[in-house]
Amino acid sequence: MVETCDLVFALDSIPAIFAVTTKPFIIFTSNVFAILGLRSLYFVLAGAIGYFSYLKYGLSIVLIFIGFKMLVMDFIRVPIGVSLGVVAGIIASSIAWSIIAARLRRPGG
């Protein structure tokens, strides 16, 4: 069952990789690596969400950004570096916000 989910998720991520590149080699290899390593990354992400309370919101904003970029890619050309910077910035800021919020919730913090 988990292997089937790995395969479905890897196939489902094909449109997302088109938001980053249109090179067939990168698309193929990213999906191969997604199938091979998705299960272990899922458990890392599941554990990280427990520590970083705002990470799930950051990941949802990343998905919204990628979806928006895919919708407007015929009209607006966003460079790959900008896209990766936005994604990294969103994830980093959601982790930072989670750390700040956890310190503020702590007694005496």
Side-chain angles (χ1 to χ4, degrees):
M1 179 66 179
V2 174
E3 291 81 12
T4 304
C5 292
D6 288 349
L7 184 62
V8 169
F9 187 79
L11 292 176
D12 185 45
S13 67
I14 291 173
I17 194 68
F18 275 115
V20 176
T21 185
T22 57
K23 295 181 180 178
F25 177 74
I26 294 175
I27 294 169
F28 176 74
T29 54
S30 68
N31 281 294
V32 168
F33 286 122
I35 292 170
L36 293 174
L38 186 63
R39 187 178 312 130
S40 61
L41 289 177
Y42 170 77
F43 290 115
V44 168
L45 184 60
I49 284 181
Y51 291 110
F52 304 115
S53 57
Y54 292 107
L55 183 60
K56 58 186 166 190
Y57 300 112
L59 292 174
S60 64
I61 293 170
V62 166
L63 290 174
I64 290 169
F65 169 72
I66 295 297
F68 177 75
K69 184 180 172 204
M70 289 174 62
L71 287 174
V72 300
M73 69 189 287
D74 289 336
F75 310 108
I76 300 172
R77 185 87 173 130
V78 180
I80 294 172
V82 171
S83 294
L84 292 176
V86 168
V87 169
I90 292 170
I91 292 173
S93 63
S94 67
I95 289 173
W97 189 255
S98 298
I99 292 170
I100 292 168
R103 288 184 180 171
L104 292 176
R105 277 182 279 193
R106 203 177 326 147

